[in-house]
């Protein structure tokens, strides 16, 4: 059975003290996760170890990097490699967030390389896809997201993608307060799963967790996560407030 996942994306927010207090507050909410549920915290690089230390011993709670380099090592000042993340015991990495696609010009082929390097170093990618408003308004979102999957993931083998995590994040819903309706989310998630089914077969497609991202909050999580092909969320703003994120975790199926 595929995992239901509440993933927090802290982006470039919080000082170390604030990050540690947020982790402490979350620990106080003390929500128990079942074996089919995960909470993953994608935190800035300097907080990976401190935040993981806070959550030490908590079942089904993980820390993720928000990015990694497409290169294995070498003269890439300011970059962080998958090997480095592995060497400090990190297991998950967000790849292809729309903010990195936009501000750092990360395209589908670069993201394919990042996925490869992440898998090589045993990191589990959380691969982000999603369309801009103009694409949605033109009605071409299905084809657009299909191409993102094809160009970044379809070189992988079925065993590589078994149990994979994909986050569908319509750009027009990120940080805007404008959420996709639960019908829009379900429609796109079903489309993503059918694209994966045609490439990898039903069994593999059914093992892949497809998270929705874009203005998820405590008040709308239950309805969105309740959709059959929505397996949780990738949450930005609302993950910075412990009580909000605790409610989001408890909204998982
Ligand atoms: P948001 O961000 O929840 O603040 O819309 C989601 C994301 O970018 O992952």
């Amino acid at each position: 059975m595929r995992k239901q996942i509440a993933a927090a994306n802290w982006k470039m927010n919080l000082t170390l003290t604030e990050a540690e207090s947020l982790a402490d507050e979350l620990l106080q909410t003390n929500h128990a996760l079942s074996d089919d549920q995960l909470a993953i915290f994608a935190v800035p690089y300097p907080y990976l170890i401190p935040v993981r230390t806070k959550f030490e011993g908590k079942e089904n709670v993980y820390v993720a990097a928000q990015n990694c380099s497409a290169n294995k090592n070498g003269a890439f000042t300011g970059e962080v490699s998958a090997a480095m993340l592995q060497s400090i015991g990190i297991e998950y990495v967000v790849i292809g967030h729309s903010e990195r696609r936009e501000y750092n010009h990360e395209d589908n082929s670069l993201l394919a390389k990042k996925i490869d390097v992440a898998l090589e170093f045993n990191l589990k990618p959380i691969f982000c896809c999603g369309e801009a408003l103009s694409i949605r308004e033109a009605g071409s979102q299905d084809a657009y997201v299909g191409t993102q999957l094809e160009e970044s993931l379809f070189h992988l083998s079925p065993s590589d993608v078994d149990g994979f995590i994909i986050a569908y994040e319509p750009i027009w819903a990120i940080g805007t307060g404008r959420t996709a309706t639960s019908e829009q989310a379900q429609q796109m998630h079903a489309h993503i799963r059918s694209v994966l089914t045609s490439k990898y077969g039903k069994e593999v497609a059914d093992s892949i967790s497809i998270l929705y991202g874009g203005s998820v909050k405590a008040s709308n999580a239950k309805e969105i996560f309740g959709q059959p092909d929505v397996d949780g969320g990738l949450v930005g703003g609302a993950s910075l407030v412990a009580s909000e994120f605790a409610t989001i975790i408890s909204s998982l199926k």
Side-chain angles (χ1 to χ4, degrees), residues 167-248:
Y168 166 61
E169 301 204 300
I171 296 168
W172 45 272
I174 295 178
T176 57
R178 178 179 168 186
T179 327
T181 62
S182 48
E183 291 77 23
Q184 284 172 321
Q186 168 56 25
Q187 184 279 330
M188 178 58 85
H189 285 226
H191 169 66
I192 292 172
R193 208 177 302 283
S194 84
V195 169
L196 294 166
T197 303
S198 17
K199 172 74 183 166
Y200 293 108
K202 187 166 168 20
E203 198 177 324
V204 171
D206 280 344
S207 76
I208 296 175
S209 300
I210 308 176
L211 317 185
Y212 168 80
S215 298
V216 173
K217 35 187 187 285
S219 59
N220 61 21
K222 188 119 202 149
E223 189 189 334
I224 298 172
F225 297 175
Q227 300 301 311
D229 284 293
V230 179
D231 307 310
L234 179 57
V235 186
S239 74
L240 298 170
V241 181
S243 59
E244 278 277 316
F245 196 66
T247 304
I248 290 168

Side-chain angles (χ1 to χ4, degrees), residues 84-104:
M84 291 172 185
L85 297 172
Q86 183 195 38
S87 76
I88 61 166
I90 296 304
E91 290 172 69
Y92 290 88
V93 60
V94 177
I95 303 235
H97 190 279
S98 62
E99 286 150 15
R100 295 207 58 89
R101 290 176 186 262
E102 183 180 350
Y103 307 136
N104 299 77

Side-chain angles (χ1 to χ4, degrees), residues 145-175:
V145 170
T147 303
Q148 288 182 317
L149 300 175
E150 199 180 310
E151 294 186 354
S152 297
L153 302 185
F154 276 17
H155 63 290
L156 300 174
S157 71
S159 62
D160 285 335
V161 294
D162 194 66
F164 213 78
I165 306 172
I166 292 174
Y168 166 61
E169 301 204 300
I171 296 168
W172 45 272
I174 295 178

